[in-house]
Amino acid sequence: MEVKVPDNTALADVVLHPVRLRIIQQLGGRNRTTAQLREALPDIPQATLYRHVAALVDAGVVAVVDERRSRGAIERTLALGDRMAAIDHAELSAMSGAQLRTAFLTFLGDVTGDFDRFLSADSLEARELVGFARTPLYVNSEDLATIQAGLAELLTPYLTEREDGRHRVTLATILLPDP
């Protein structure tokens, strides 16, 4: 089955698929070869993985940053592309309630899958890095933009992979207005 996604497709339609979300998470802040993706995502059949990588590349969410020949095949190195995998407020606002629920549940399913894989690894060292909390904030749209800009500035030094003993963690954010 072909999974081609046109470049002008809504970003949510591209990234809100469980396999594509996992690929995007693997690439965040680092380059990965297709072989490294296969190793990191062993539960996804190779053909399925390659179809979804191709869909992300076609949509500009993932970019091929290098290609080299390996045992007669082309090994591609991938990174996040120019069309970042963040769905903006305009696209979220345009979604119906049912579409927004599906997008949110897909996101939660992805985070839950990551948590399940973390638990399966049963690493005491990694348990020192896990946490979750909820904090009520009182904001308007301008305040939220200021917070998001400040977070982006604060997090920028930690967004790329380094070889200095630091561990990769995922920071997931959810903003839920009180009804």
Side-chain angles (χ1 to χ4, degrees), residues 18-37:
V19 172
R20 292 185 208 138
L21 275 173
R22 290 181 63 199
I23 294 166
I24 290 165
Q25 288 301 310
Q26 286 299 313
L27 295 174
R30 58 189 180 182
N31 297 344
R32 289 290 176 254
T33 65
T34 49
Q36 288 170 318
L37 285 176

Side-chain angles (χ1 to χ4, degrees), residues 12-92:
D13 292 339
V14 177
V15 301
L16 289 176
H17 183 283
V19 172
R20 292 185 208 138
L21 275 173
R22 290 181 63 199
I23 294 166
I24 290 165
Q25 288 301 310
Q26 286 299 313
L27 295 174
R30 58 189 180 182
N31 297 344
R32 289 290 176 254
T33 65
T34 49
Q36 288 170 318
L37 285 176
R38 282 194 321 270
E39 184 178 309
L41 305 169
D43 57 315
I44 300 172
Q46 182 174 333
T48 300
L49 180 70
Y50 286 175
R51 280 195 308 271
H52 287 288
V53 165
L56 290 167
V57 169
D58 289 346
V61 174
V62 169
V64 177
V65 295
D66 190 32
E67 290 183 335
R68 68 177 183 84
R69 194 163 286 288
S70 174
R71 292 186 220 146
I74 301 285
E75 179 74 330
R76 300 188 307 172
T77 300
L78 307 164
L80 289 180
D82 293 334
R83 188 177 184 197
M84 295 306 289
I87 301 165
D88 64 21
H89 288 288
E91 191 166 347
L92 288 173

Side-chain angles (χ1 to χ4, degrees), residues 6 11 15 18 65 83 85-86 128 143 146 152-153 161 163 166 176:
L11 188 58
V15 301
V65 295
R83 188 177 184 197
E128 294 177 10
D143 295 334
T146 300
E153 183 179 338
E161 185 175 37
E163 299 294 328
R166 294 177 192 249
L176 289 176

Side-chain angles (χ1 to χ4, degrees), residues 147-159:
I147 291 168
Q148 289 173 324
L151 277 174
E153 183 179 338
L154 175 69
L155 297 175
T156 296
Y158 308 101
L159 296 177

